[in-house]
Structures are given as C-alpha cells and as structure tokens.
C-alpha cells in the first residue's frame, strides 16, 4: 500500500499549515509523489477538519494521538510523521510513547515541535522546556538510531503576544475606552516572535524532503523576520488609535493564574509545577530570543516573512 505521512494535531496551531502546505510539495517530489497524508484530529466534524478533508491526497481521521500504537502506525503504513504535542505535565510520558511506537513500527522520519530554544535545557526553571529537552535526548540516544528526526524550536507565537494589542485597539475603536494593557514582553528586550503558520510551513518542507538524513537529529531555531519589544507594541497601538496608551504593564504573566484555575486546579496537578511557567519568559526578557538566533537551515528552506505588524493587522480583521 502507498506510504503515508501522519500529521498529529492537523487542526492545531502549527498542524493546520503543515497539512495545507504539504500536498503541493509532494506533487513536485521525485520520491514522495502519491504518498497519502493522514490528518489526525479529535473532531473530524470541525470546520477546519472539513476544510482539510477537501485537500488533494488528505485523509482526515478522528483519533486521540496518545492512543496511537505501533500496530496502528503499521496498519496505516506511516513512513513519516509530524507531531505537535501538548505541554501538560505528562507530556514526556505520552510523547515518548508515540516516538517509541514509531520506532517499533518502522516509521522513518519524525518532525516534532519543541519550544523556545533558549529554554530547552535540563536546568530551565519552567517545567515544560525540560520535557522537550528530555524528548530530544531520548531521540538522540543510540537506541533510536533507526528513527530519523528533526526538532523545531520556535520562539513565542506572535498571536499570543499581539492579541492584547488587538483587543485594546478594537475596544477603543468601538467605545473610545481603554482597558489596562498587559504585555508579556519586557519594555526594551527584542524578541523574534513567530507566526505558528510559518512554523507549520517549515515542518512541511522538512517532511517533503527526498533525503531527510541531512536534517536527522537537527534542532532548528525558528523566529519571525524581525524583532519587537513591548515598547514597540505600545507605539503600534498608539499609531492605530491616535492617542497615548494610558496604562501598560510589561512582563505580565498573570495569565498563569487563569490557566491554573480553569485547566489544572481540578486535575490536582502540582501547583508548584504549573506555576513554574512564570519563569519561561525570563530568557526573552534577558534578550536571548532575538531573530538573529534563527537557524540558517530554516532561512534556506522557507524563511518566515510575517512581521508583528502583519499579525496585528490580521488579528484586527477577525
């Protein structure tokens, strides 16, 4: 049977762009033309899933990826795979199980989404980058030599950073009033925030390579095309509304309180672990996450082009 390329989280932040980009790339491939694309989703009836199902060569399958077994991968003749895992405290257990099953099923190549490169280390104060570090160490071990892989380490996603600006502008245009502006970035440290769609495009280019060995065991850093600071976001808002921003807080991570209350409190997850997310932005505030850190291979494959201004404009149109 024709080999397939599995997209885990096909309707998610990055998976959607992978699924949308890959069919055209496969058409021009000398070795992968005709490969099936399996778009995995937890809801095949969602509008995004139905849209993806209309793409040539794409089969949408409804399944929770954490339940994928080696037998399932063999049954669907999966030769390559993309995975954007969750960041819950059990990520390592579930994602490592996926990779182990991929190894045993004879999957040849996996592209995975990691997190901000400056945080992917064993001593990161935030818990979830340590999980990504552990996954990369596991995949880099001799026992996994038969499974080729690439880990993408994208910077902070730009919609997350720019959404507060868009919401303030929308409210001011509608009511003439301003809420307090809470920005995750610091006032002056430059950060190369990136659109998640462009991360998906890079993943699609990797999955479509005739020879993946040149990217095996690679960890690529992904940033947007230009840096932005908290102060520059304020300037963009003021340009849009024509008056000064009245009240702004930089380095705001109060969203962690809401995240814990609504997502984790009822699960009895360790509050100490979840609240360690507060430390994840320290590398950005320290100036370690600028666009200058982008890997050359990323620029050669499909250099990201969407600027913070582009993202703000698209958010204002929603």
């Amino acid at each position: 049977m024709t080999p397939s390329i599995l997209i885990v989280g096909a309707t998610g932040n990055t998976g959607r762009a992978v699924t949308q980009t890959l069919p055209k790339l496969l058409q021009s491939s000398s070795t992968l033309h005709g490969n099936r694309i399996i778009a995995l989703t937890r809801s095949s009836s969602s509008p995004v899933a139905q849209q993806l199902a209309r793409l040539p060569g794409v089969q949408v399958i409804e399944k929770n990826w954490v339940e994928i077994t080696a037998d399932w991968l063999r049954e669907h003749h999966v030769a390559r795979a993309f995975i954007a895992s969750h960041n819950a405290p059990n990520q390592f257990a579930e994602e490592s199980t996926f990779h182990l099953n991929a190894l045993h099923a004879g999957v040849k190549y996996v592209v995975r989404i990691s997190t901000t490169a400056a945080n992917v280390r064993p001593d990161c104060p935030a818990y979830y980058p340590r999980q990504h570090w552990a996954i990369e160490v596991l995949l880099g071990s001799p026992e996994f030599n038969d499974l080729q892989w690439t880990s993408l380490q994208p910077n902070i996603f730009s919609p997350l950073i720019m959404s507060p600006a868009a919401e303030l502008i929308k409210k001011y245009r509608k009511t003439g009033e301003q809420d307090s502006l809470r920005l995750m970035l610091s006032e002056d440290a430059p950060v190369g925030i990136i659109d998640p769609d462009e991360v998906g495009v890079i993943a699609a280019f990797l999955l479509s390579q005739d020879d993946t060995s040149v990217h095996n065991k690679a960890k690529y850093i992904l940033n947007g095309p230009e840096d932005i600071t908290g102060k520059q976001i304020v300037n963009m808002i003021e340009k849009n509304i024509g008056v000064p921003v009245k009240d702004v807080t930089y380095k705001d991570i109060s969203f962690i309180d809401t995240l814990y209350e609504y997502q984790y409190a009822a699960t009895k997850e360790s509050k100490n672990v979840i609240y360690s997310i507060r430390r994840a932005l320290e590398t950005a505030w320290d100036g370690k996450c600028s666009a200058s850190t982008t890997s050359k291979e990323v620029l050669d494959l499909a250099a990201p082009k969407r600027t913070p201004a582009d993202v703000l404009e698209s958010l204002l149109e929603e």
Side-chain angles (χ1 to χ4, degrees):
M1 189 174 179
T2 305
S4 63
I5 300 176
L6 174 66
I7 312 299
V8 170
T11 58
N13 274 342
T14 53
R16 178 177 54 190
V18 178
T19 312
Q20 291 170 333
T21 306
L22 194 53
K24 291 182 180 179
L25 296 176
L26 295 186
Q27 289 176 4
S28 59
S29 170
S30 61
T31 60
L32 302 175
H33 183 73
N35 275 211
R36 297 177 303 126
I37 299 171
I38 297 176
L40 209 69
T41 177
R42 286 178 292 181
S43 176
S44 58
S45 62
S46 72
V48 174
Q50 292 179 352
Q51 180 187 48
L52 295 177
R54 292 192 288 270
L55 296 173
V58 174
Q59 177 188 9
V60 173
I61 294 180
E62 186 173 306
K63 187 177 181 65
N64 189 338
W65 70 268
V66 301
E67 303 303 332
I68 287 176
T69 63
D71 286 341
W72 188 93
L73 293 167
R74 292 190 198 98
E75 178 186 344
H76 290 82
H77 301 274
V78 176
R80 300 184 180 191
F82 166 85
I83 180 169
S85 180
H86 57 74
N87 278 341
N90 62 340
Q91 177 202 341
F92 179 84
E94 294 187 336
E95 188 179 343
S96 64
T97 297
F98 173 85
H99 294 303
L100 184 64
N101 286 330
L103 174 69
H104 290 164
V107 175
K108 300 302 181 184
Y109 180 56
V110 171
V111 177
R112 68 177 299 272
I113 301 296
S114 181
T115 190
T116 305
N119 287 342
V120 184
R121 61 183 201 271
D123 64 339
C124 182
Y127 80 87
Y128 68 89
R130 297 196 302 270
Q131 296 189 124
H132 285 293
W133 170 82
I135 289 288
E136 291 174 354
V137 171
L138 175 141
L139 290 172
S141 67
E143 290 81 358
F144 276 79
N145 279 345
D146 289 339
L147 177 63
Q148 294 187 5
W149 59 277
T150 303
S151 193
L152 300 181
Q153 300 176 333
N155 208 335
I156 308 166
F157 287 164
S158 47
L160 179 65
I161 295 300
M162 301 304 298
S163 288
E167 292 307 311
L168 189 149
I169 293 169
K170 287 179 180 179
K171 179 168 183 177
Y172 185 83
R173 287 175 176 176
K174 186 176 182 179
T175 69
E177 299 177 354
Q178 296 184 34
D179 288 329
S180 296
L181 177 64
R182 300 179 181 275
L183 296 177
M184 294 169 61
L185 299 188
S186 69
E187 184 173 4
D188 297 318
V191 182
I193 59 177
I194 185 167
D195 190 293
D197 282 349
E198 296 197 305
V199 177
V201 169
I202 291 291
F205 270 85
L206 287 166
L207 289 166
S208 67
Q209 297 296 298
D210 291 327
D211 179 13
T212 60
S213 64
V214 295
H215 302 290
N216 184 31
K217 299 184 179 181
K219 291 172 277 190
Y220 293 146
I221 301 173
L222 285 73
N223 299 289
E226 63 183 45
D227 291 322
I228 194 164
T229 66
K231 181 59 177 175
Q232 287 173 327
I233 294 176
V234 173
N235 292 340
M236 292 170 70
I237 296 171
E238 293 177 342
K239 183 178 179 180
N240 271 273
I241 64 177
V243 297
V245 172
K246 293 181 179 179
D247 181 25
V248 57
T249 302
Y250 298 106
K251 298 185 179 180
D252 184 88
I253 48 176
S254 57
F255 73 93
I256 301 297
D257 296 319
T258 304
L259 177 71
Y260 180 78
E261 180 180 355
Y262 288 98
Q263 186 170 336
Y264 290 110
T267 68
K268 306 302 181 184
E269 293 285 1
S270 165
K271 191 172 184 179
N272 186 38
V273 170
I274 302 303
Y275 269 78
S276 72
I277 298 173
R278 290 176 177 271
R279 306 285 303 276
L281 281 162
E282 290 177 357
T283 49
W285 300 337
D286 290 341
K288 297 178 181 179
C289 303
S290 69
S292 65
T293 62
T294 304
S295 296
K296 179 181 180 299
E297 293 83 355
V298 171
L299 300 177
D300 291 340
L301 282 169
K305 298 177 180 179
R306 294 202 72 194
T307 66
D310 294 332
V311 173
L312 179 60
E313 182 178 351
S314 65
L315 289 172
L316 291 174
E317 292 172 353
E318 293 179 356

